Amino acid sequence: MRSLIRLTAALSALPMTMASVALFALMVLTFADVIMRSVFNAPIEAATELIRIGIALIVFSALPVLSGREGHIAADLLDRPFENWGLQRWRDGLVTLGCGVMLWFPAGRVVDLAYRALSYGDVTEYLEIPTFYIGMFIAVMTYLTAVVLILRGLLRLFAPQLLDPAT
């Protein structure tokens, strides 16, 4: 089991690398667009749609990895009562499991919308990139995030020692 966890940790480098490359490309594109707009009065016309696609790549590439590492922002308003009762593990496990289950519905909805875009032949305005690909990428990464959250919730509930990085 530990080797599987190590393998998934190693595989998490791929989506984070993709997000990093997309972020760097967005920085270069924004810089070039500002220079072209300010100096030559010739903005990059496709910059807006490329930025939209890049932001989707960044967010949805990082989502499963952040979920797996418990990297989300959390409010600790009720931590003290759960600590006093010794129920932190159950709270964390059930919340993580619930979030994974709830995330399944939006992922299915995005698949429907992506197939609708495919049937309509929707493309982006300037570069004519089919929006189906972007929608399916979002759906796949959302499903992957749901699976990661469900597995992490089950591990938190039934095998918390596997999630402890010290062991």
Side-chain angles (χ1 to χ4, degrees), residues 3-17:
S3 60
L4 180 64
I5 291 174
R6 279 194 295 271
L7 175 67
T8 56
L11 287 176
S12 71
L14 180 66
M16 292 309 282
T17 301

Side-chain angles (χ1 to χ4, degrees), residues 5 73 101 122:
I5 291 174
I73 296 171
V101 170
D122 288 349

Side-chain angles (χ1 to χ4, degrees), residues 13-83:
L14 180 66
M16 292 309 282
T17 301
M18 187 166 59
S20 300
V21 168
L23 180 60
F24 183 76
L26 284 181
M27 290 187 304
V28 170
L29 176 65
T30 303
F31 176 77
D33 188 37
V34 168
I35 296 299
M36 294 293 292
R37 183 182 310 271
S38 300
V39 175
F40 302 109
N41 198 24
I44 300 172
E45 292 194 11
T48 303
E49 70 188 40
L50 287 173
I51 288 171
R52 270 190 243 144
I53 293 169
I55 289 173
L57 284 174
I58 292 167
V59 169
F60 288 97
S61 292
L63 191 60
V65 177
L66 289 175
S67 297
R69 294 178 183 168
E70 292 183 337
H72 297 289
I73 296 171
D76 58 359
L77 299 174
L78 296 175
D79 278 1
R80 177 87 54 198
F82 281 99
E83 286 174 10

Side-chain angles (χ1 to χ4, degrees), residues 16 96-97 109:
M16 292 309 282
T96 304
L97 189 63
R109 193 68 192 114

